[in-house]
């Protein structure tokens, strides 16, 4: 039955892709999905108050990702760190998800930041905040991802402050970590990270830190939405240090790679694409690069739509698709972020995802889309 979306009439598909859980372990690439959190809509909180989380639904979604063979990147940007999820909520999320990963045998890596700092800080205070979070992640049994820090970006006077801070943290780390370079399109407060707004200079600083501590760096995650720069950095990494693409615009080509290497993946778009992404990587495991591209290339239009500027609000589309797919019973987000994208934007996301066959129950997705149109758009 035709559904009338803001941009025109659309005929929903009637059958989803057949993407059942299980299957062989992913072999040729290490793949993490950065996972969203599910809010508790029945807790009376303000947008700037502590996050109210539905823990059962949040952990169930992580089990969904693990069941398809994906790793979970926890308490990252996709989980609304610094955009609705405070450190108290993030710490509890890390504890609970790490315990769940241990129970089901799932792979997990967790974000380490400085978001417990609530005002201007010194370099020593930034370092201490990082250390506190690193200790929690390691005690939880998860791999650590050293996230970019707003507090460090605010206080650092140049590349030397970044080099000193990260060198100290890498010496403290018990196991090799993932370093995360999140661009200002995801968080404007990170402009000039690594000590310069000149990306060439910033890249040199970043690579120098890695080169001086290769035994403490499992890999790097680059989220700059610049495929050429990622490839350049990837080719300059020390032997044994992985590149995890965080490029939600160009991931198929970066994961597929070229004759000089490839990227692994740590992606927010693999939250809604999880089952399809896992299936595509299994095809790649057989050596069928074209088959992998045939599966993932058509998803780029949806990803670019969700991550369009202002990119930091991509989480709204991710949670919206999780609701349509039946992974949660409501479209409420911590921090009230469900209001961050327009009705036409969400409607287009629905159409693109439906065309891809991402909804396990297309009729449920259509019904929920109609309900949203009624509530937010009235009838036409």
């Amino acid at each position: 039955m035709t559904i009338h979306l803001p941009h025109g009439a659309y005929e929903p598909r009637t059958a989803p892709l057949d993407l059942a859980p299980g299957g062989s372990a992913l072999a040729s690439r290490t793949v993490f999905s950065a996972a969203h959190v599910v809010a508790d809509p029945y807790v009376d909180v303000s947008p700037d108050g502590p996050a109210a989380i539905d823990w059962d639904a949040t952990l169930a979604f992580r089990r969904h990702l693990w069941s398809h063979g994906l790793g979970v990147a926890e308490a990252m940007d996709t989980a609304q760190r610094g955009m609705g999820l405070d450190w108290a909520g993030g710490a509890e999320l890390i504890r609970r998800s790490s315990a769940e990963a241990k129970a089901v045998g799932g792979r997990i890596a967790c974000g380490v930041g400085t978001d417990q700092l609530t005002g201007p800080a010194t370099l020593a205070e930034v370092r201490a905040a990082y250390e506190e979070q690193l200790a929690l992640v390691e005690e939880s049994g998860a791999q650590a991802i050293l996230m970019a820090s707003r507090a460090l970006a605010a206080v650092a006077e140049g590349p030397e402050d970044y080099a000193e801070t990260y060198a100290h943290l890498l010496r403290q780390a018990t196991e090799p970590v993932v370093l995360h370079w999140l661009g200002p399109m995801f968080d404007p407060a990170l402009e000039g990270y690594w000590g310069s707004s000149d990306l060439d200079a910033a890249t040199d600083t970043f690579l120098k830190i890695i080169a001086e501590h290769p035994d403490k760096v499992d890999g790097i995650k680059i989220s700059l939405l610049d495929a050429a720069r990622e490839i350049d950095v990837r080719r300059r990494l020390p032997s044994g240090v992985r590149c995890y693409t965080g490029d939600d615009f160009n991931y198929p080509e970066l994961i597929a790679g070229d004759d000089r290497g490839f990227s692994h993946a740590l992606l927010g778009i693999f939250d809604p694409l999880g089952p399809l992404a896992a299936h595509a990587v299994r095809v790649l495991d057989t050596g069928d690069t074209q088959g992998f591209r045939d599966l993932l290339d058509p998803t780029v239009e949806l990803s670019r739509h969700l991550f369009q500027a202002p990119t930091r609000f991509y989480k709204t589309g991710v949670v919206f698709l999780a609701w349509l797919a039946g992974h949660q019973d409501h479209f409420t987000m911590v921090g009230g972020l469900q209001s961050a994208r327009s009705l036409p934007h969400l409607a287009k996301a629905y159409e693109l995802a439906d065309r891809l066959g991402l909804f396990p129950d297309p009729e449920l997705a259509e019904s929920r889309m109609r309900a949203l149109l009624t509530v937010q758009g009235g009838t036409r």
Side-chain angles (χ1 to χ4, degrees), residues 103-118:
V104 303
R107 183 166 186 169
I108 188 168
C110 298
V112 171
T114 62
D115 46 331
Q116 68 269 57
L117 300 172
T118 57

Side-chain angles (χ1 to χ4, degrees), residues 1 13 39 58 68 88 101 118 154 159 195 198 227 240-241 257 269 294 297 350 368:
M1 183 182 297
R13 65 182 293 160
T58 293
H68 286 276
T118 57
D198 181 325
V241 176
I269 191 57
D294 289 345
D297 282 359
Y350 159 73
R368 290 183 170 182

Side-chain angles (χ1 to χ4, degrees), residues 66 97-106 108 139-141:
W66 285 319
S97 291
S98 296
E100 195 73 16
K102 189 178 299 183
V104 303
I108 188 168
E139 288 167 5
S140 299

Side-chain angles (χ1 to χ4, degrees), residues 38-127:
V38 182
D40 186 339
Y42 288 100
V43 176
D44 186 9
V45 292
S46 62
D48 57 354
I53 297 175
D54 180 337
W55 292 111
D56 289 342
T58 293
L59 295 176
F61 187 76
R62 279 132 185 84
R63 290 193 298 272
H64 155 72
L65 295 172
W66 285 319
S67 75
H68 286 276
L70 300 170
V72 168
E74 188 57 278
M76 300 288 291
D77 189 52
T78 305
Q80 296 180 242
R81 284 288 288 275
M83 289 187 69
L85 182 68
D86 58 11
W87 169 235
E92 185 66 14
L93 180 62
I94 289 168
R95 292 188 191 97
R96 289 178 181 250
S97 291
S98 296
E100 195 73 16
K102 189 178 299 183
V104 303
R107 183 166 186 169
I108 188 168
C110 298
V112 171
T114 62
D115 46 331
Q116 68 269 57
L117 300 172
T118 57
T122 65
L123 280 172
E125 290 169 334
V126 169
R127 188 171 69 183

Side-chain angles (χ1 to χ4, degrees), residues 34 76-79 186 248 268-269 306-308 310-319 341 345:
M76 300 288 291
D77 189 52
T78 305
F186 289 92
D248 301 277
I269 191 57
L306 296 181
F307 284 79
Q308 68 182 222
T311 302
R312 63 188 181 277
F313 294 125
Y314 77 88
K315 298 96 163 171
T316 302
V318 165
V319 174
R341 291 295 200 188
H345 177 91

Side-chain angles (χ1 to χ4, degrees), residues 340-352:
R341 291 295 200 188
S342 69
L343 182 61
H345 177 91
L346 296 175
K348 186 64 176 179
Y350 159 73
E351 179 182 338
L352 292 173

Side-chain angles (χ1 to χ4, degrees), residues 74-299:
E74 188 57 278
M76 300 288 291
D77 189 52
T78 305
Q80 296 180 242
R81 284 288 288 275
M83 289 187 69
L85 182 68
D86 58 11
W87 169 235
E92 185 66 14
L93 180 62
I94 289 168
R95 292 188 191 97
R96 289 178 181 250
S97 291
S98 296
E100 195 73 16
K102 189 178 299 183
V104 303
R107 183 166 186 169
I108 188 168
C110 298
V112 171
T114 62
D115 46 331
Q116 68 269 57
L117 300 172
T118 57
T122 65
L123 280 172
E125 290 169 334
V126 169
R127 188 171 69 183
Y130 263 130
E131 288 175 333
E132 176 190 352
Q133 296 198 16
L134 177 60
L136 173 67
V137 169
E138 291 188 335
E139 288 167 5
S140 299
Q143 183 178 17
I145 303 171
L146 294 187
M147 301 169 66
S149 163
R150 292 174 180 172
L152 181 55
V155 71
E157 295 182 356
E160 299 79 9
D161 288 339
Y162 287 92
E164 179 182 346
T165 299
Y166 277 89
H168 176 82
L169 293 169
L170 290 172
R171 287 193 297 268
Q172 294 291 311
T174 303
E175 301 291 340
V177 307
V178 176
L179 296 183
H180 186 192
W181 185 356
L182 190 69
M185 67 288 294
F186 289 92
D187 187 342
L190 299 177
E191 178 66 45
Y193 211 74
W194 306 114
S196 178
S197 294
D198 181 325
L199 288 180
D200 290 335
T203 298
D204 288 342
T205 299
F206 182 53
L207 288 170
K208 183 179 179 182
I209 292 170
I210 297 166
E212 292 176 352
H213 308 274
D215 59 322
K216 286 298 187 77
V217 181
D218 164 69
I220 62 168
K221 169 176 157 56
I222 303 179
S223 298
L224 298 177
L225 305 183
D226 183 337
R229 182 164 300 276
E230 178 174 324
I231 292 170
D232 174 66
V233 172
R234 186 174 77 196
R235 291 174 177 173
R236 295 165 65 186
L237 289 174
S239 177
V241 176
R242 310 182 207 199
C243 179
Y244 293 94
T245 187
D247 188 333
D248 301 277
F249 281 8
N250 304 292
Y251 51 93
E253 65 185 85
L254 291 166
I255 297 170
D258 54 33
D259 59 355
R260 295 178 60 185
F262 57 81
S263 295
H264 300 271
L266 199 166
L267 288 161
I269 191 57
F270 281 3
D271 180 302
L273 291 183
L276 179 55
H279 175 59
V281 173
R282 288 189 178 94
V283 171
L284 186 60
D285 288 345
T286 69
D288 185 359
T289 302
Q290 188 57 54
F292 168 81
R293 293 295 300 268
D294 289 345
L295 287 165
L296 274 199
D297 282 359
T299 70

